Amino acid sequence: MKYVIFFCSLLFIFSCTGKKQGNTTTTTKQDTLDAPKITVLADLPDSLHPKTKALDTMPKPRIVTVPAHSGGSYSITYAKGEVRKIVLEPPANKLLPVLLDAKGEVIKDSAGNTFIMGSGGISNFTNFTTDNGLALDAIGCSKIDKAGNLWFGTYGGGVSRYDGKSFTTFSTAQGLANNTVWSITEDKAGNLWFGTDGGGVSRYDGKSFTTFSTAQGLANNNVRSI
């Protein structure tokens, strides 16, 4: 009988010890999880350092002055070697329809502003499409500049600027890198930057477009965001 009690006592002790060891093992596993990997750029070999390309050592970017009249051209060479001739045209400017009286004269408010007509009469929403001068109905991005103008980048029609009364459209015919515009931003100097699909990025200073691409050190000519 004594041996049976002794044997049962040993089993109880070993069982408790096993549970305690199991808990200890779990705790140790949690405390030894892998730390996040930290890569210090200064410790990398020179071959893996970020590449910096100064613009003054690269081919000059293409600069196209927005024409006031038709005429002139420039060429774009695509990645597959295709060369496309772009004929320069002044930007299209289309005034929105305004409210007229019975005599066909423009009606203005007390401040001298015209009443812009919407479609379907007065409503909470006014829709603007290509019928009103927008470059294309498919919009990929938009931006309001410091002067309050709205810019709309389209999927193939270029970029349209809306000043509250009219749409002015800029495309490759005025020097834009590509007519599909993914992104727009304005820098502190007031220049507008347009990221395009395959053409790189174009900077507009109000008079001309300057285009930067892989030839000037850009990582890729598809610019989705700025």
Side-chain angles (χ1 to χ4, degrees), residues 37-50:
K37 183 179 179 181
I38 299 175
T39 301
V40 180
L41 293 181
D43 296 338
L44 294 174
D46 292 341
S47 61
L48 294 180
H49 281 184

Side-chain angles (χ1 to χ4, degrees), residues 11 40-41 47 53 60 69 87 90 105 133 160 175-176 189 209 213:
L11 287 176
V40 180
L41 293 181
S47 61
K53 296 182 179 180
K60 293 186 179 300
H69 306 283
V87 178
E105 297 179 352
S160 288
L176 187 65
F209 284 94
S213 65

Side-chain angles (χ1 to χ4, degrees), residues 205-226:
D205 61 6
K207 296 181 179 179
S208 62
F209 284 94
T210 300
T211 295
F212 301 89
S213 65
T214 52
Q216 287 74 49
L218 190 64
N220 193 286
N221 288 332
N222 291 307
V223 182
R224 295 282 182 152
S225 61
I226 305 177

Side-chain angles (χ1 to χ4, degrees), residues 98-107:
V98 297
L99 187 63
L100 304 176
D101 61 17
K103 298 180 180 180
E105 297 179 352
V106 177
I107 299 175

Side-chain angles (χ1 to χ4, degrees), residues 33-108:
L33 292 174
D34 293 338
K37 183 179 179 181
I38 299 175
T39 301
V40 180
L41 293 181
D43 296 338
L44 294 174
D46 292 341
S47 61
L48 294 180
H49 281 184
K51 301 299 185 294
T52 301
K53 296 182 179 180
L55 287 177
D56 57 3
T57 64
M58 305 297 292
K60 293 186 179 300
R62 183 179 72 245
I63 300 175
V64 179
T65 301
V66 178
H69 306 283
S70 300
S73 65
Y74 67 97
S75 298
I76 296 178
T77 302
Y78 293 94
K80 295 182 179 180
E82 178 188 357
V83 179
R84 181 183 176 189
K85 182 180 178 182
I86 304 297
V87 178
L88 290 171
E89 296 286 347
N93 189 353
K94 185 175 181 180
L95 293 173
L96 294 175
V98 297
L99 187 63
L100 304 176
D101 61 17
K103 298 180 180 180
E105 297 179 352
V106 177
I107 299 175
K108 298 182 179 180

Side-chain angles (χ1 to χ4, degrees), residues 9 21 59 93 124 151 199 210:
S9 299
Q21 289 176 346
N93 189 353
N124 292 325
W151 293 80
T210 300

Side-chain angles (χ1 to χ4, degrees), residues 161-184:
R161 179 184 65 201
Y162 176 62
D163 61 6
K165 295 181 179 180
S166 63
F167 282 97
T168 301
T169 295
F170 301 89
S171 66
T172 53
Q174 288 79 48
L176 187 65
N178 190 284
N179 286 334
T180 297
V181 179
W182 295 116
S183 53
I184 309 172

